[in-house]
């Protein structure tokens, strides 16, 4: 004992024992065989015969002494060992230069009293360890540096896995965050059978989720953040919700699943200005890109890999909205000022668009600057336009067109190398300026109609009309057509009035002539005629909606206008139409129109057909008309008489060319005699009447003409009787002052003694050619003679003695003698003349002889007494 006094010294600290404790039963049982425990044990053991071991129940020893030892270990030594360790822990404190796990796990001082199963030498001590460990599991016997150093119960403690899968940096972080991590030396942790938990990714995730200090710890240590991310995702990637391990580009640390966080590379992050609070740190994504791409597959993490579609449809618009409004067009941009992105930003954006070919997706964003992305500096102020604005063009080679497009509201963009690779796709939004492109963009230009009216001079308006006309074949919509119609680029007004610019919002009121029609400047044409040339005709045709009017069609429209206006303008327009025509082209539209339309003005105003008028140079015809008659074209038409004749203007030759035309002419002239009688004078009427009758008698179809004119009053009667006509007897024409028709007049005045009181006779002023028959005139009939005879019988008796009357009576009797035997007897009031008595006796009082013995009749005549009987 004395020899090994130092070895057995009870003053030795536990750390010095290093599991070299000995068992005592008043005296040491052996100086060479230790128990393997870090404490000395004294008890009233029952020892083996050689005092080198404690007797223990087994197959060979079932004695009470052995059982005593077991009972002693279980009920006394085990609790005492537990109390010893607990009391020792409560009395000890430890100070370390740092709470680094790597350093702490090398020290055994806090765990010197813990029993290790592998170090025990006998079954008794193994049994002791088995009984002590359950007692220690609920006692604060494990030291943790967390919280500045504390003793914790094993059931509350955590130990890192022995396989070293958790980095020391995370363990240090967990200690700093208060997780009771026990820093066992490796050999103790391997043999210590206390029920502590292992630090697993799940444990770390749970602790991180509930600790507010984590953000500040990982925010300042990027390497630690990477270690944490790798460890917590080493087993699962879908349980990261609310763990604050996402470092944004802005420097802010946010939990998983709390907001959308976009994964973008460093070059793309330069495009997304002011979105640092939505973008993962570039450094973090660069180093752990594969891990984050894997995490992004789980929607619960709200990590989104920013592809081109997301960038263009979401991130880039949101980025622009942070410093302006995307719906405004254009946007004012002051690079690198007022929270606006720098000049390099636009260049980066177009590089991204070009590399990813996403021009269609950014068409609604203000990304086009007229100066070109390369020419933008941080000192200027620029206007950014949307691609879908519809009024963007690359500058063309035609400077006049460039200037005009800018006046109309188009934006001309300089060519840039950023645009070249996009090729045809960009040209859909940003075409090269040409007439077709300008035509299609006009409907999108604000107040374009007002701009045309107010900003363009007359020459520029004509130039614009020419440009649009050259592109009119590419008109593709009614909207484009209506826009063109609204522009005041069309000229209306030709001739004397000059032209003015107008729009064609009411196209139906305008006349579109062929450009080949030449309008004289001395004629006041209607104001609704469009002035066109060969270059404009296509556009005007589209705007008006009809094909250009040929001269014939134009004549019809012009005629409608002319007939509604003052006769001076009307006459000038109609004369111009005739001058433009060529009567030899009988089937052409204009010539047919002139032939079939009342187009010649007359003296009394109304228009007449050419075929209804007469040649004023024909002297023969002029004799048939009165001064106020209007059968001739006005004097100003003399210059086109040769054309009018080809249009069937009447001449004397054409009048007498056929029986029909001559009859029509004579009928017309016969009717005009009545006008001459009442409006001019009787002498003029007589003159016309004589001329008409003369021409009738000259015609070979005289009888037919007179038959047609039989009922038309155009002749004068003889108002005075012939010289031998009894003065006392009525002359039928004595008081007739009107015109008479041929049917009313007796042609032969020699019959006046037979019918003078009842029939009218043609005036002796008319020269009658030889051989003229009187069949078409009034003829002497027994009836008319009888009526005339009745008038004679009514004369007074003293008149009847007149020689002229007696001769007339005799002539009448002779006339009836030449008629049928009963003509006289049937005549009304036919009386019998009694020569001896100079009186007439009615037929009722006369009888024929012989009458036998009848003497009733006072006068008797035989057939020989009067030839008429």
């Amino acid at each position: 004992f004395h020899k090994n006094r130092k070895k057995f010294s009870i003053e030795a600290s536990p750390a010095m024992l290093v599991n070299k404790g000995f068992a005592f039963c008043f005296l040491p049982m052996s100086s060479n065989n230790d128990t393997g425990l870090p404490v000395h044990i004294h008890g009233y053991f029952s020892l083996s015969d050689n005092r080198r071991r404690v007797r223990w129940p087994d197959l060979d020893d079932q004695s009470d002494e052995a059982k005593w030892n077991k009972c002693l270990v279980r009920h006394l030594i085990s609790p005492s060992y537990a109390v010893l360790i607990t009391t020792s822990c409560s009395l000890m404190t430890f100070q370390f230069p740092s709470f680094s796990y790597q350093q702490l796990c090398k020290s055994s001082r806090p765990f010197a009293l813990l029993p290790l199963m592998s170090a025990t030498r006998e079954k008794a001590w193994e049994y002791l360890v088995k009984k002590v460990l359950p007692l220690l599991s609920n006692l604060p016997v494990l030291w943790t540096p967390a919280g500045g150093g504390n003793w914790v119960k094993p059931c509350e403690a955590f130990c890192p896995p022995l396989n070293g899968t958790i980095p020391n940096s995370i363990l240090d972080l967990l200690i700093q965050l208060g997780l009771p991590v026990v820093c066992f030396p490796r050999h103790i942790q391997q043999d210590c059978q206390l029920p502590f938990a292992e630090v697993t990714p799940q444990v770390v995730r749970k602790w991180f989720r509930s600790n507010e200090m984590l953000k500040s710890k990982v925010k300042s240590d990027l390497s630690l953040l990477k270690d944490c991310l790798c460890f917590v995702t080493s087993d699962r990637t879908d349980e990261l919700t609310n763990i604050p391990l996402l470092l944004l580009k802005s420097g802010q640390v946010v939990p998983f699943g709390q907001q959308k966080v976009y994964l973008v590379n460093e070059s793309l992050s330069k495009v997304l200005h002011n979105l640092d609070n939505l973008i993962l740190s570039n450094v973090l994504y660069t180093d752990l890109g594969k891990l984050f791409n894997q995490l992004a597959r789980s929607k619960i993490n709200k990590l989104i890999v920013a592809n081109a579609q997301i960038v263009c449809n979401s991130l880039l618009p949101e980025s622009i909205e942070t410093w302006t409004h995307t719906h405004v067009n254009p946007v004012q941009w002051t690079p690198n000022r007022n929270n606006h992105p720098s000049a390099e930003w636009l260049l980066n954006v177009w590089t991204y668009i070009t590399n990813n070919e996403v021009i269609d997706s950014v068409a609604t964003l203000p990304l086009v600057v007229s100066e070109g992305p390369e020419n933008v500096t941080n000192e200027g102020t620029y206007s950014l336009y949307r691609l879908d604005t519809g009024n963007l063009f690359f500058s063309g080679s035609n400077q006049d067109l460039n200037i005009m497009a800018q006046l109309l509201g188009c934006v001309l963009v300089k060519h840039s190398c950023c645009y070249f690779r996009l090729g045809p796709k960009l040209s859909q939004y940003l075409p090269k300026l040409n007439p077709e492109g300008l035509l299609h963009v006009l409907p999108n230009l604000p107040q374009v109609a007002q701009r045309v009216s107010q900003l363009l001079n007359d020459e520029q308006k004509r130039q614009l009309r020419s440009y649009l006309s050259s592109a009119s074949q590419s008109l593709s919509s009614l909207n484009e057509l209506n826009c063109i119609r609204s522009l005041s680029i069309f000229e209306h007004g030709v001739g004397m009035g000059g032209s003015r610019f107008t729009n064609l919002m009411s196209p139906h009121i305008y006349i579109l002539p062929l450009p080949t029609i030449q309008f004289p400047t001395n004629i006041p044409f209607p104001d609704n005629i469009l002035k066109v040339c060969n270059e404009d005709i296509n556009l005007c045709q589209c705007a008006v909606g009809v094909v250009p009017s040929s001269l014939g069609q134009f004549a019809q429209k012009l005629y409608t206008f002319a007939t509604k206006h003052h006769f001076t303008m009307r006459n000038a327009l109609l004369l111009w139409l005739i001058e433009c025509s060529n009567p030899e082209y009988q089937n052409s539209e204009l010539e047919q129109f002139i032939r079939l339309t009342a187009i010649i003005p007359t003296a009394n105003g109304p228009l007449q057909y050419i075929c209804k008028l007469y040649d004023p140079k024909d002297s023969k015809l002029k004799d048939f008309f009165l001064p106020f008659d209007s059968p001739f074209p006005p004097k100003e038409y003399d210059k086109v008489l040769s054309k009018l004749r080809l249009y069937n203007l009447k001449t004397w030759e054409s009048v007498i060319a056929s029986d029909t035309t001559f009859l029509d002419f004579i009928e017309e002239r016969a009717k005009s005699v009545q006008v001459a009688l009442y409006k001019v004078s009787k002498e003029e009427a007589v003159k016309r009447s004589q001329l008409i009758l003369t021409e009738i008698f000259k015609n070979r179809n005289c009888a037919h003409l007179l038959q047609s004119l039989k009922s038309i009053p155009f002749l004068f009667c003889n108002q005075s009787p012939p010289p031998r006509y009894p003065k006392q007897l009525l002359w039928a024409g004595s008081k007739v002052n009107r015109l008479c028709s041929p049917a009313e007049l007796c042609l032969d005045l020699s019959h006046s003694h037979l019918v003078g009181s009842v029939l009218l006779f043609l005036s002796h002023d008319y020269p009658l050619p030889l051989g003229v028959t009187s069949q078409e005139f009034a003829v002497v009939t027994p009836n008319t003679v009888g009526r005339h005879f009745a008038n004679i019988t009514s004369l007074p008796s003293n008149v009847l003695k007149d020689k002229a009357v007696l001769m007339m009576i005799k002539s009448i009797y002779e006339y009836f003698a030449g008629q049928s035997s009963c003509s006289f007897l049937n005549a009304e009031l036919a009386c019998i003349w009694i020569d001896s008595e100079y009186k007439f006796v009615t037929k009722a009082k006369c009888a024929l002889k012989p009458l036998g013995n009848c003497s009733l009749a006072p006068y008797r005549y035989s057939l020989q007494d009067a030839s008429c009987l």
Side-chain angles (χ1 to χ4, degrees):
F1 176 77
H2 291 285
K3 181 180 178 181
N4 296 287
R5 183 176 180 179
K6 289 185 178 180
K7 183 183 298 187
F8 303 147
S9 174
I10 59 174
E11 288 83 5
S13 66
M16 294 176 61
L17 294 179
V18 192
N19 297 333
K20 292 295 183 180
F22 291 88
F24 293 82
C25 183
F26 297 101
L27 292 174
M29 290 183 292
S30 172
S31 62
N32 297 320
N33 296 324
D34 59 88
T35 60
L37 298 174
V39 294
H40 299 305
I41 300 174
H42 178 271
Y44 298 105
F45 297 111
S46 175
L47 303 177
S48 62
D49 294 339
N50 60 4
R51 288 186 55 84
R52 293 188 178 278
R53 67 179 185 85
V54 177
R55 295 178 64 182
W56 199 256
D58 56 16
L59 293 178
D60 297 330
D61 189 358
Q62 292 293 327
S63 61
D64 291 337
E65 291 80 359
K67 293 180 180 178
W68 160 257
N69 289 337
K70 184 175 183 181
C71 188
L72 183 64
V73 170
R74 178 178 181 182
H75 295 289
L76 181 60
I77 298 176
S78 295
S80 300
Y81 194 1
V83 171
L84 172 65
I85 294 175
T86 304
T87 304
S88 174
C89 290
S90 64
L91 296 175
M92 288 189 295
T93 59
F94 299 95
Q95 292 183 355
F96 294 93
S98 70
F99 283 152
S100 169
Y101 174 79
Q102 189 173 4
Q103 299 297 326
L104 291 173
C105 67
K106 296 178 181 180
S107 174
S108 301
R109 290 168 58 197
F111 316 108
L113 296 180
L114 291 179
L116 301 178
M117 184 67 73
S118 61
T120 57
R121 304 288 188 264
E122 298 179 20
K123 291 182 178 181
W125 314 129
E126 289 181 3
Y127 184 74
L128 174 61
V129 173
K130 288 181 180 180
K131 293 303 178 181
V132 169
L133 290 177
L135 296 175
L136 295 177
S137 63
N138 290 312
L139 296 173
V141 295
L142 295 182
W143 186 83
T144 174
N150 290 294
W151 294 96
V152 295
K153 299 175 183 180
C155 62
E156 298 174 350
F158 294 89
C159 290
L162 290 172
N163 58 10
T165 55
I166 181 170
N168 291 336
S169 58
I170 296 180
L171 292 173
D172 292 342
L173 175 62
L174 292 173
I175 292 171
Q176 295 175 39
L177 297 179
L179 182 69
V181 177
V182 178
C183 304
F184 286 118
R186 185 176 182 80
H187 69 284
I188 294 178
Q189 184 175 346
Q190 286 177 337
D191 203 19
C192 183
Q193 298 182 8
L194 290 173
F196 50 78
E198 190 176 66
V199 180
T200 62
Q202 183 177 4
V203 171
V204 175
R205 288 194 294 268
K206 183 178 180 181
W207 193 257
F208 280 177
R209 194 175 287 120
S210 62
N211 201 293
E212 293 295 329
M213 295 177 58
L214 177 62
K215 292 182 181 180
S216 60
K217 296 295 182 181
V218 298
K219 182 177 181 180
S220 59
D221 191 341
L222 189 59
S223 177
L224 174 61
L225 178 58
K226 295 177 184 176
D227 291 343
C228 292
L229 284 168
C230 293
F231 184 73
V232 297
T233 59
S234 60
D235 62 338
R236 299 189 63 134
T237 59
D238 56 351
E239 293 185 355
L240 302 177
T241 305
N242 295 328
I243 298 178
L245 290 178
L246 291 176
L247 178 63
L248 303 181
K249 187 180 178 183
S250 62
Q252 181 183 0
V253 178
V254 297
F256 281 91
Q258 188 179 76
Q259 68 176 58
K260 291 181 179 180
V261 177
Y262 294 91
L263 310 180
V264 301
N265 55 40
E266 186 173 2
S267 61
L268 179 55
S269 65
K270 296 178 181 179
V271 172
L272 305 176
H273 177 70
N274 283 349
L275 292 189
D276 293 350
N277 59 336
L278 297 179
I279 299 174
L280 189 69
S281 169
N282 296 138
V283 177
L284 199 61
Y285 187 52
T286 301
D287 296 342
L288 300 177
K290 186 176 181 180
L291 171 62
F292 277 103
N293 289 338
Q294 184 180 359
L295 296 178
R297 296 173 187 169
S298 176
K299 293 183 178 180
I300 195 172
N301 294 328
K302 292 188 177 181
L303 290 177
I304 301 173
V305 179
N307 56 29
Q309 182 180 2
I310 293 174
V311 170
C312 298
N313 296 338
S314 178
L315 293 180
L316 189 55
E318 188 172 352
S319 170
I320 297 175
E321 283 286 350
T322 63
W323 55 274
T324 187
H325 298 289
T326 55
H327 65 273
V328 177
N329 191 39
V331 166
Q332 296 304 310
W333 175 36
T334 55
N336 217 27
R337 289 165 286 162
N338 304 322
N339 197 34
H340 289 199
S342 65
E344 185 183 5
W345 166 78
L346 186 60
L347 198 59
N348 292 332
V349 170
W350 277 104
T351 301
Y352 179 81
I353 294 172
T354 302
N355 293 338
N356 293 273
E357 297 182 352
V358 289
I359 188 68
D360 293 333
S361 301
V362 298
T364 59
L365 302 180
L367 297 175
V368 179
V369 63
S370 60
E371 291 80 359
E374 298 94 338
N375 300 320
V376 175
T377 65
N378 288 332
E379 287 73 31
T381 299
Y382 303 91
S383 295
L384 289 175
Y385 299 88
R386 291 166 43 172
L387 272 173
D388 66 347
T389 301
N391 63 340
L392 301 180
F393 292 97
F394 281 126
S395 299
S397 56
N398 188 332
Q399 292 302 317
D400 292 336
L401 182 58
N402 290 343
I403 295 172
M404 186 175 300
Q406 289 178 313
L407 289 174
L408 295 178
C410 295
V411 178
L412 299 187
V413 179
K414 292 182 180 179
H415 292 273
S416 170
C417 59
C418 294
Y419 306 140
F420 289 155
R421 287 173 54 193
L422 291 170
K425 290 187 177 180
L426 180 61
S427 63
Q428 298 176 9
Y429 303 99
L430 198 56
K432 186 176 181 180
L433 181 61
N434 54 35
E436 289 79 7
L438 183 61
L439 183 148
H440 294 314
V441 81
L442 282 177
N444 302 326
L445 298 179
Q447 299 180 338
V448 63
Q450 291 85 341
R451 286 176 174 268
V452 169
S453 299
Q454 299 172 6
L455 302 181
L456 299 189
N457 57 39
D458 290 354
E459 186 56 36
Q460 286 175 323
K461 290 178 182 179
R462 294 186 183 98
Q463 201 170 31
L464 176 59
R465 186 175 70 229
S466 178
Y467 288 143
L468 295 180
S469 183
S470 66
S472 59
Q473 296 298 326
S474 62
L475 268 172
S476 58
S477 69
L478 181 60
N479 191 27
E480 292 176 355
L481 179 59
N482 288 334
C483 179
I484 290 176
R485 286 174 173 169
S486 69
L487 304 180
S488 299
I489 59 174
F490 302 94
E491 292 182 79
H492 69 104
V494 295
M496 183 183 298
S499 62
R500 292 168 300 282
F501 285 93
T502 185
N503 60 53
L504 294 182
M505 293 304 292
S506 301
H508 60 279
I509 68 175
Y510 290 98
I511 300 174
L512 177 63
L514 282 172
T516 55
I517 300 177
Q518 300 296 321
F519 296 96
T521 57
N522 59 341
I523 296 178
F525 285 92
D527 196 45
N528 65 335
I529 300 175
L530 292 178
K531 183 178 180 181
V532 295
C533 59
N534 290 325
E535 292 77 14
D536 306 336
I537 191 62
N538 291 335
L539 182 67
C540 294
Q541 180 176 338
C542 293
V544 177
V546 296
V547 296
S549 299
S550 64
L551 194 54
Q553 295 169 336
F554 176 73
Q556 298 176 30
K557 297 175 182 178
L558 187 63
Y559 180 82
T560 303
F561 169 83
T563 53
K564 297 178 181 179
H565 289 75
H566 190 270
F567 65 88
T568 302
M569 177 187 292
R570 179 198 69 182
N571 295 352
L573 292 173
L574 298 180
L575 176 59
W576 174 74
L577 287 178
I578 296 174
E579 289 175 338
C580 293
S581 68
N582 187 349
E584 295 180 356
Y585 301 149
Q586 296 186 7
N587 295 325
S588 70
E589 202 169 7
L590 175 61
E591 283 64 36
Q592 287 291 338
F593 169 77
I594 292 175
R595 291 178 189 276
L596 302 176
T597 307
I599 197 172
I600 303 296
T602 55
N604 55 4
L607 295 174
Q608 281 290 354
Y609 295 91
I610 295 177
C611 61
K612 298 287 186 180
L613 299 179
Y614 299 90
D615 188 346
K617 300 299 181 180
D618 193 321
S619 57
K620 180 70 175 178
L621 285 174
K622 294 185 73 173
D623 294 338
F624 283 90
F625 296 95
L626 300 171
F628 58 83
D629 279 342
S630 56
F632 305 106
K635 189 170 184 61
E636 57 265 27
Y637 281 72
D638 288 351
K639 57 185 177 180
V640 293
L641 280 178
S642 58
K643 291 186 177 183
L644 295 181
R645 294 183 185 110
L646 295 175
Y647 283 124
N648 298 328
L649 181 69
K650 292 181 181 180
T651 61
W652 182 248
E653 288 74 13
S654 63
V655 167
I656 64 175
S658 68
D659 294 342
T660 303
T661 57
F662 186 67
L663 175 61
D664 293 341
F665 175 75
I666 292 301
E667 285 184 354
E668 177 192 353
R669 291 297 87 209
K671 295 175 182 178
S672 69
V673 176
Q674 187 83 23
V675 178
L677 177 63
Y678 292 106
K679 290 188 176 183
V680 185
S681 64
K682 182 176 181 181
E683 291 75 12
E684 190 67 31
V686 171
K687 179 180 176 182
R688 306 295 171 192
S689 180
Q690 291 174 344
L691 183 61
I692 292 170
L693 191 59
T694 301
E695 292 300 327
I696 292 174
F697 289 148
K698 288 181 181 180
N699 193 276
R700 63 181 183 277
N701 292 321
C702 174
H704 174 68
L705 292 174
L706 288 174
Q707 182 64 32
S708 300
L709 301 173
K710 188 174 182 179
S711 61
I712 299 176
F714 70 97
L715 300 174
F716 289 93
C717 67
N718 205 342
Q719 292 183 313
S720 58
R724 294 182 181 183
Y725 191 82
K727 295 181 180 181
Q728 296 82 358
L729 182 62
L730 174 68
W731 177 251
S734 61
K735 296 182 179 181
V736 176
N737 294 317
R738 60 179 180 85
L739 290 172
C740 304
S741 64
E744 297 178 281
L745 298 174
C746 185
L747 187 61
D748 191 355
L749 191 59
S750 63
H751 292 160
S752 60
H753 61 286
L754 296 176
V755 291
S757 66
V758 295
L759 282 185
L760 301 176
F761 287 85
L762 181 66
S763 174
H764 60 272
D765 294 330
Y766 293 97
L768 297 178
L770 296 175
V772 173
T773 63
S774 59
Q775 295 178 358
E776 287 73 26
F777 290 85
V779 296
V780 177
T781 63
N783 183 38
T784 56
V785 175
R787 289 165 47 208
H788 178 65
F789 184 63
N791 290 334
I792 295 174
T793 60
S794 64
L795 291 174
S797 56
N798 60 335
V799 176
L800 294 177
K801 296 179 181 180
D802 187 272
K803 184 178 180 179
V805 174
L806 293 175
M807 291 181 63
M808 187 175 291
I809 293 172
K810 182 178 179 180
S811 298
I812 292 173
Y813 278 130
E814 290 176 353
Y815 169 79
F816 279 113
Q819 303 298 317
S820 62
S821 59
C822 60
S823 296
F824 176 75
L825 295 177
N826 291 335
E828 185 180 356
L829 297 176
C831 297
I832 304 301
W833 173 253
I834 306 299
D835 265 341
S836 58
E837 299 180 15
Y838 291 97
K839 69 175 183 179
F840 286 98
V841 179
T842 62
K843 291 181 288 183
K845 295 181 179 182
C846 296
L848 298 178
K849 294 191 298 186
L851 294 178
N853 296 323
C854 180
S855 59
L856 293 179
Y859 302 96
R860 290 191 176 96
Y861 287 89
S862 66
L863 291 177
Q864 292 75 24
D865 292 331
S867 59
C868 63
L869 300 177

